[in-house]
Amino acid sequence: MTTGSGRRPRSRLLPDTAPWRSSRDFRLVWTSGAVTMLGSVFTLTAIPLQIADATGSPLAVGAVGAVELVPTVLLGLYGGVLADRADRRTVVLATEVALAALSVLLLLNAVRGGPALWPLYAAAGCAAALQGLQQPSLEAMVPRLVPHDQLVAAGALLSLRWSVVGLAAPAAAGVVIATAGVGTAYLIDLATFLVSIALLTRIRPVRPAREARSPLPGDLAEGARYVARRPDLVGTYLVDLAATAFALPTALFPFLADELDARWALGLLYSASAAGTLVAAATSGWTGRVHRHGRLVLLSGALVGTATAAAALTSGIWAVLLCLALAGAAHWVGDAFRTAIWNRSIPDELRGRAAGLELLVGSAGPALGDLRAGGLAARYGIRAALRTGGLACLATSGVLAAALPALWRYDDRTDPQVAAVRAARRTDGPAEGPPTGAAA
């Protein structure tokens, strides 16, 4: 049986691969990112393990997050300006080379007789700084590599890549480290960086849309003013912040596993959200037929909060895992449509700075969430911390829907910002491709 559009109903749920087929450069970026992410998981697993072995202190391991947060935030803001001033391909390539050099240093430290502790913290901080510089350029490249009407599908494919790697790579890293040691993990990371660099060199230059006309502080201020003038954009940042600060309870998982008498399921608690995002990304074909993106952002935030609160009210481990997977799937939906709003409606000359602000929110939210969850759990208990976080996320989505009607009404078929960006792409960018789906 086929639908009126000629596509089988099942195929309409599968991810839209039009960006992959239409853009060679997008295929290279997608593959490069998948390879890099795979190797990075090995290093992100090895560094805390080395610190734990050397110190035996949970506080020493937790300090890695503090070391990473500040450079990510500071360099992310500068990276956003750099993405709008420099060739984005060059920025991504240069930072990838520097990250490969860090892998060499970590490898040398691992194979020496007694690995030193300070290089692990230094490498974590430097890697966070480099990723803060790289991420805005990497995100701002995508709207220049695929036709404007394929940006929703491109975001879904990028998210699918993250979901697959995020689910499979930690288990592989654990096996490799347990059997071959941390040195092998760093060697694998270095090899993936070399492959990624080779792929990135084949991408065409992605030069800035305009020459820099003001000093650095002026560029930062211009980007912030642009976002502040658009309540729909402000709303996307706030929904994301609420979801990560209130309903991302990873800090509670070890204690939740003990409370459920299911210590064996700790790994499943950590991977449940990734499993949900993988299912959502693998059935993302419907996203190209939705146009009220702001509404989906708000509804997904409400569902994340509801699922997290439901996890606090259940007593069985499998029910908790199901709720966490549902929250992960809902978070993916919100991320997909947030990215669609950003990519389709923000002018190219401001896209890097907007990505820098995204990175700031994305880094602050989980850090604040761990602090909130840990403090409430210590005072009121694990279930109370989980329940209040979910309800706060749900309430925030409702308040934002009422306070920011521009986000609720956002429709990419009629939004003037989308029309302006589409017109600019037709004039300056690559040729437009056919629409990815029928109107919804």
Side-chain angles (χ1 to χ4, degrees):
M1 176 181 176
T2 60
T3 65
S5 64
R7 293 182 64 188
R8 293 183 181 276
R10 186 179 300 173
S11 71
R12 293 171 69 87
L13 287 176
L14 297 178
D16 186 349
T17 59
W20 182 279
R21 298 193 307 270
S22 66
S23 172
R24 169 184 173 273
D25 284 346
F26 178 78
R27 291 195 298 272
L28 291 171
V29 167
W30 193 98
T31 307
S32 166
V35 172
T36 295
M37 288 164 60
L38 174 64
S40 295
V41 169
F42 281 78
T43 291
L44 291 173
T45 305
I47 287 179
L49 181 61
Q50 279 192 288
I51 295 175
D53 288 343
T55 66
S57 168
L59 180 60
V61 176
V64 174
V67 169
E68 293 173 335
L69 180 59
V70 173
T72 299
V73 170
L74 295 180
L75 273 298
L77 292 174
Y78 176 68
V81 174
L82 191 62
D84 291 334
R85 288 182 170 218
D87 183 337
R88 291 166 185 168
R89 194 277 304 260
T90 300
V91 174
V92 172
L93 188 56
T95 50
E96 201 81 346
V97 171
L99 287 166
L102 282 179
S103 293
V104 173
L105 296 177
L106 286 169
L107 176 60
L108 294 175
N109 184 59
V111 299
R112 63 195 297 262
L117 194 60
W118 69 265
L120 301 176
Y121 288 105
C126 290
L130 290 168
Q131 288 163 353
L133 286 174
Q134 182 189 77
Q135 194 64 31
S137 289
L138 195 57
E139 291 187 13
M141 282 175 65
V142 174
R144 297 274 294 274
L145 301 182
V146 300
H148 188 260
D149 290 328
Q150 293 179 7
L151 286 172
V152 176
L157 290 174
L158 291 169
S159 180
L160 177 61
R161 175 190 69 184
W162 180 91
S163 301
V164 172
V165 175
L167 191 61
V175 171
V176 168
I177 292 172
T179 57
V182 293
T184 302
Y186 295 133
L187 184 61
I188 291 173
D189 194 17
L190 174 59
T192 60
F193 275 125
L194 296 178
V195 173
S196 174
I197 290 166
L199 293 170
L200 290 171
T201 56
R202 301 177 60 195
I203 298 172
R204 64 179 172 85
V206 185
R207 298 185 177 91
R210 63 171 177 82
E211 296 295 329
R213 294 192 294 266
S214 62
L216 175 61
D219 271 7
L220 282 172
E222 182 185 12
R225 284 195 301 269
Y226 173 80
V227 171
R229 288 196 301 267
R230 289 190 52 188
D232 53 343
L233 281 186
V234 173
T236 64
Y237 293 124
L238 293 178
V239 173
D240 187 33
L241 183 62
T244 53
F246 294 136
L248 191 66
T250 53
L252 302 178
F253 287 164
F255 310 98
L256 183 60
D258 286 340
E259 186 173 294
L260 293 168
D261 194 24
R263 189 71 179 182
W264 56 270
L266 178 58
L268 295 178
L269 288 172
Y270 281 113
S271 61
S273 179
T277 63
L278 178 59
V279 172
T283 56
S284 61
W286 61 274
T287 58
R289 300 186 294 276
V290 174
H291 298 281
R292 297 185 182 275
H293 299 163
R295 196 163 296 184
L296 266 294
V297 169
L298 289 163
L299 292 175
S300 69
L303 184 54
V304 169
T306 302
T308 302
L313 301 175
T314 58
S315 57
I317 182 62
W318 295 110
V320 170
L321 290 171
L322 179 61
C323 290
L324 294 176
L326 181 59
H331 205 147
W332 181 90
V333 172
D335 283 344
F337 288 107
R338 267 190 294 273
T339 301
I341 292 173
W342 296 333
N343 285 344
R344 290 173 67 85
S345 70
I346 298 175
D348 184 74
E349 62 269 18
L350 291 163
R351 187 65 186 88
R353 279 162 285 177
L357 291 172
E358 294 162 30
L359 185 61
L360 173 62
V361 172
S363 302
L368 292 173
D370 284 346
L371 183 63
R372 181 207 64 83
L376 284 178
R379 187 174 180 87
Y380 300 108
I382 303 302
R383 297 299 183 127
L386 197 60
R387 181 175 61 254
T388 55
L391 293 176
C393 180
L394 173 61
T396 301
S397 296
V399 169
L400 291 174
L404 300 174
L407 180 59
W408 181 259
R409 294 195 304 261
Y410 178 95
D411 188 327
D412 75 339
R413 295 167 296 187
T414 58
D415 186 81
Q417 304 286 346
V418 174
V421 171
R422 183 183 293 114
R425 286 288 301 276
R426 286 172 178 160
T427 303
D428 303 323
E432 290 285 345
T436 57

